[in-house]
């Protein structure tokens, strides 16, 4: 069974530029999460989807971050414009429901 | 406030010995506790979990103990192997409210050959 796929794996951009991350969850997993992981810390939730509906986006900085999950499968997370403090690892996870989540390899973003 | 805490940023043990990783939490409403293992440049990998109604769960070399009265859990790895060297994250999940994992800051385990 294929795991959670994320791309790109690494991204370097200049501040104020836009950037987008893509996630393909495990087949059949209705719940999709985006987490942010800063250096030396654990992942923190940005947004949770149940199918195509964003059911918890309370931690998403909506002035610059947006996300979508069209057709309830793949998802994209966008930052526009990026700031220096956005440098981090962006993790996507999926779940069939319940507590166990399966993570992708993450996208490591560096904003210069 | 940090609802899940891992107070030891690092731990070093000899191969073959026991590794004990600790985790404390503050929210008594958590239903499940999970341990994830993370290698560099990879995403966290699910290792083992325990329901809040149990006090022990075992899977091969890995055992998780839960002490609800102390709001404390621990992961025991016996015997430790060099391949166990990684960062271990404790996470908690509630069946109500956010329904997302709340993670600790991780403990880096180094198993010396």
């Amino acid at each position: 069974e294929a795991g959670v796929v994320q791309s790109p794996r690494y991204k370097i951009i200049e501040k104020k530029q836009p950037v987008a991350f893509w996630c393909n969850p495990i087949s059949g997993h209705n719940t999709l999460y985006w987490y942010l992981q800063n250096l030396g810390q654990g992942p923190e939730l940005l947004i949770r989807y149940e199918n195509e509906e964003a059911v918890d986006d309370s931690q998403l900085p909506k002035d610059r971050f947006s996300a979508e999950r069209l057709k309830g499968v793949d998802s994209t997370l966008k930052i526009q414009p990026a700031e220096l403090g956005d440098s981090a690892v962006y993790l996507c996870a999926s779940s069939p429901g319940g507590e166990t989540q399966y993570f992708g390899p993450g996208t490591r973003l560096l904003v210069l | 406030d940090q609802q899940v805490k891992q107070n030891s940023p690092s731990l070093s043990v000899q191969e073959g010995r026991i590794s004990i990783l600790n985790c404390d939490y503050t929210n008594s409403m958590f239903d499940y506790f999970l341990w994830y293992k993370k290698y560099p440049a990879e995403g966290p990998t699910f290792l083992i979990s325990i329901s809040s109604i149990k006090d022990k769960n075992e899977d091969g070399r890995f055992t998780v103990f839960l002490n609800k009265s102390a709001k404390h859990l621990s992961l025991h790895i016996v015997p430790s192997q060099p391949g166990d060297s990684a960062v271990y994250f404790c996470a908690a999940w509630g069946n109500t409210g956010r329904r997302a994992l709340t993670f600790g800051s991780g403990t880096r385990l180094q198993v010396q050959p």
Side-chain angles (χ1 to χ4, degrees):
Chain A
E1 179 183 84
V4 177
V5 179
Q6 289 188 248
S7 69
R9 292 293 310 275
Y10 304 91
K11 190 73 176 179
I12 301 175
I13 61 172
E14 294 189 346
K15 62 181 180 181
K16 300 185 181 180
Q17 294 300 305
V19 64
F21 315 126
W22 175 80
C23 173
N24 178 243
I26 293 173
S27 177
H29 284 194
N30 295 328
T31 309
L32 184 146
Y33 305 81
W34 283 101
Y35 286 87
L36 164 70
Q37 184 176 18
N38 286 306
L39 190 63
Q41 298 182 23
E44 298 174 20
L45 180 70
L46 287 172
I47 189 168
R48 172 170 69 94
Y49 282 93
E50 296 290 347
N51 298 301
E52 66 275 7
E53 182 181 0
V55 295
D56 184 352
D57 62 356
S58 58
Q59 301 303 306
L60 190 71
K62 298 182 186 63
D63 57 336
R64 297 184 301 107
F65 286 67
S66 65
E68 62 182 9
R69 190 184 184 196
L70 299 176
K71 300 181 181 179
V73 181
D74 295 358
S75 177
T76 56
L77 178 68
K78 298 178 182 178
I79 308 175
Q80 182 171 11
E83 297 179 351
L84 296 177
D86 297 331
S87 296
V89 176
Y90 292 82
L91 292 162
C92 179
S94 70
S95 169
E99 74 283 0
T100 305
Q101 298 173 22
Y102 301 88
F103 284 81
T107 296
R108 186 175 299 271
L109 174 67
L110 179 60
V111 182
L112 302 176
Chain B
D1 66 343
Q2 267 190 298
Q3 296 190 65
V4 178
K5 295 182 182 179
Q6 294 177 258
N7 292 317
S8 298
S10 63
L11 174 67
S12 182
V13 300
Q14 288 294 123
E15 181 179 5
R17 307 294 287 268
I18 183 172
S19 295
I20 301 176
L21 296 92
N22 294 302
C23 178
D24 298 295
Y25 62 96
T26 57
N27 188 343
S28 59
M29 299 301 291
F30 288 133
D31 295 293
Y32 286 91
F33 301 91
L34 302 87
W35 286 94
Y36 280 81
K37 176 180 180 179
K38 187 181 182 305
Y39 292 118
E42 294 184 13
T45 302
F46 170 72
L47 192 58
I48 190 170
S49 65
I50 187 168
S51 165
S52 62
I53 63 173
K54 296 186 176 181
D55 56 16
K56 177 182 176 181
N57 188 26
E58 189 173 356
D59 183 1
R61 296 186 297 114
F62 303 91
T63 303
V64 57
F65 296 92
L66 175 61
N67 183 333
K68 285 187 67 176
S69 61
K71 293 190 174 67
H72 177 84
L73 64 153
S74 60
L75 174 68
H76 293 211
I77 306 173
V78 184
S80 301
Q81 299 174 354
D84 296 330
S85 297
V87 177
Y88 289 78
F89 289 98
C90 171
W93 188 85
N95 200 25
T96 58
R98 303 206 69 194
R99 295 176 63 87
L101 292 173
T102 301
F103 283 86
S105 56
T107 296
R108 181 177 301 277
L109 174 65
Q110 184 80 27
V111 180
Q112 307 285 354

